[in-house]
Amino acid sequence: MGDRNTYKQGMASALGCSIWWGIMPIYWQMLRPIDSVVIIFYRIVLVAVVCFIAAVKVHGMEEIKEQFRPAGVKGRYFLAGLLITANWSIYIWAVNANYVIQTCIGYYIEPLLVCIFGVVIFKEGMDKFKTVALALAAAGVLVVIIHFRQVPLIALGLGFSFAIYAAVKKNYPMPPLLSLLYETIFLMPIALVVVIAMEATGNGALAVADGGKYFLLLFCGLFTAFPLVLFANAANKISLFSLGLTEYISPTLSLLISIYLFQEPFDGIQLAAFGIIWVGLAFFSYGEFQNQKLEKEGQKTAENQIDDR
């Protein structure tokens, strides 16, 4: 019964996280007419503040300092902070510039690009399912390029920035809350100076937003950190395969919102491109399921051999 309840709690957290991220484009567009650049700098500051307060409460100052001491951590997390900030910046700008569909492509191909980096940099295995998935994802992007006669830079920027970010963080396990704190704390002083300068010169949020919009802006740090807590809870209670599958809910919701709420143009060719990518993701997910199944069987065999002894 306990395992079943744990699974239910983990799955609820995973679904909550994915749904939260999927509907976030509504929040970012609600902040108009605040400029995307202003939102980005506010987000850096407020995420750092929220994560610091939460990290002190959850982990304590000593653990915050302890995790920060090993050689190379500062430089690696500074680089990770630059990469994830670039990812956020592309996403927020794209949403407010009515390119939500491109962000969806980016988040669909993101796990496949992470897979490529794993194979190329860390010499991870490449099975037939991943090969087919990558080929289909590339075909889907190619359809978009041919149809619009331009490279989907937003989608590729989102996908590659996150894949590089994942590669930088590989082999540096850390609690998610502390990780996000370290990724923003270096940039926070610079971002705070920029926010103050923009507000002082009349180019910030206060110059264009009413009280309600500004109050809503102040929640962007909390709205970023909260789904992270859900994700961390899910990662500890369900399999990575199940967690990975739920992550596809987010771009799917965003896609539906972009078509039916934001009225972004979406034609048959785009639908075909998404269809190709979806088929690729199905192959990828099936391959991951088979790999996980084999790992479990191997573990059971090893445990049985130990018991026999």
Side-chain angles (χ1 to χ4, degrees):
M1 179 65 73
D3 289 344
R4 186 65 183 168
N5 287 336
T6 298
Y7 176 80
K8 285 181 178 179
Q9 290 171 11
M11 185 56 70
S13 294
L15 292 172
C17 175
S18 295
I19 292 170
W20 187 283
W21 281 117
I23 64 175
M24 277 296 281
I26 297 174
Y27 169 71
W28 298 122
Q29 289 212 0
M30 284 174 66
L31 295 179
R32 290 175 173 176
I34 303 173
D35 190 88
S36 296
V37 174
V38 176
I39 296 172
I40 288 162
F41 282 106
Y42 263 92
R43 182 176 181 178
I44 295 170
V45 173
L46 293 170
V47 167
V49 170
V50 169
C51 286
F52 178 75
I53 294 171
V56 169
K57 184 173 178 60
V58 174
H59 299 286
M61 279 301 300
E62 284 306 311
E63 187 173 351
I64 292 174
K65 294 176 183 176
E66 185 64 31
Q67 294 274 4
F68 209 41
R69 286 185 182 125
V73 167
K74 295 180 182 69
R76 189 167 288 252
Y77 274 89
F78 175 71
L79 178 57
L82 290 176
L83 288 164
I84 200 63
T85 299
N87 187 273
W88 290 349
S89 302
I90 294 168
Y91 173 70
I92 293 172
W93 177 86
V95 169
N96 284 339
N98 297 318
Y99 289 110
V100 178
I101 289 176
Q102 269 217 52
T103 70
C104 297
I105 297 175
Y107 287 124
Y108 277 129
I109 66 174
E110 176 189 288
L112 304 178
L113 292 175
V114 170
C115 175
I116 290 176
F117 275 71
V119 171
V120 174
I121 299 175
F122 301 104
K123 310 303 179 186
E124 295 177 356
M126 185 75 171
D127 57 31
K128 60 185 179 181
F129 298 106
K130 290 178 181 177
T131 302
V132 171
L134 291 171
L136 288 170
V141 172
L142 185 61
V143 168
V144 173
I145 292 172
I146 294 172
H147 180 52
F148 290 103
R149 298 181 182 177
Q150 62 181 13
V151 178
L153 294 176
I154 294 169
L156 294 176
L158 286 171
F160 275 103
S161 61
F162 192 86
I164 299 170
Y165 164 78
V168 167
K169 289 188 61 175
K170 186 173 173 64
N171 300 326
Y172 271 72
M174 189 176 289
L177 197 57
L178 293 181
S179 179
L180 190 56
L181 172 63
Y182 295 154
E183 289 162 17
T184 52
I185 202 70
F186 293 110
L187 299 175
M188 194 267 241
I190 300 170
L192 182 59
V193 169
V194 173
V195 166
I196 293 171
M198 287 192 293
E199 296 297 356
T201 56
N203 296 311
L206 291 171
V208 297
D210 57 33
K213 295 259 183 177
Y214 188 78
F215 181 73
L216 196 59
L217 173 64
L218 296 180
F219 279 91
C220 67
L222 183 62
F223 287 171
T224 299
F226 178 67
L228 177 74
V229 174
L230 293 177
F231 184 88
N233 184 56
N236 290 328
K237 293 180 177 177
I238 62 175
S239 68
L240 289 179
F241 173 74
S242 299
L243 187 61
L245 282 184
T246 62
E247 288 183 24
Y248 296 132
I249 294 172
S250 173
T252 302
L253 277 176
S254 294
L255 177 63
L256 294 173
I257 288 169
S258 68
I259 296 170
Y260 294 107
L261 185 61
F262 299 156
Q263 300 293 308
E264 283 191 35
F266 189 72
D267 57 27
I269 301 298
Q270 287 172 290
L271 179 60
F274 271 97
I276 294 170
I277 294 171
W278 286 328
V279 173
L281 290 173
F283 271 94
F284 181 80
S285 299
Y286 182 74
E288 291 299 288
F289 172 73
Q290 290 296 325
N291 289 336
Q292 189 176 66
K293 188 177 177 182
L294 289 173
E295 285 179 11
K296 285 183 177 179
E297 289 175 354
Q299 288 174 355
K300 283 184 178 180
T301 302
E303 288 171 1
N304 291 334
Q305 288 175 346
I306 293 172
D307 290 339
D308 291 340
R309 290 176 187 171

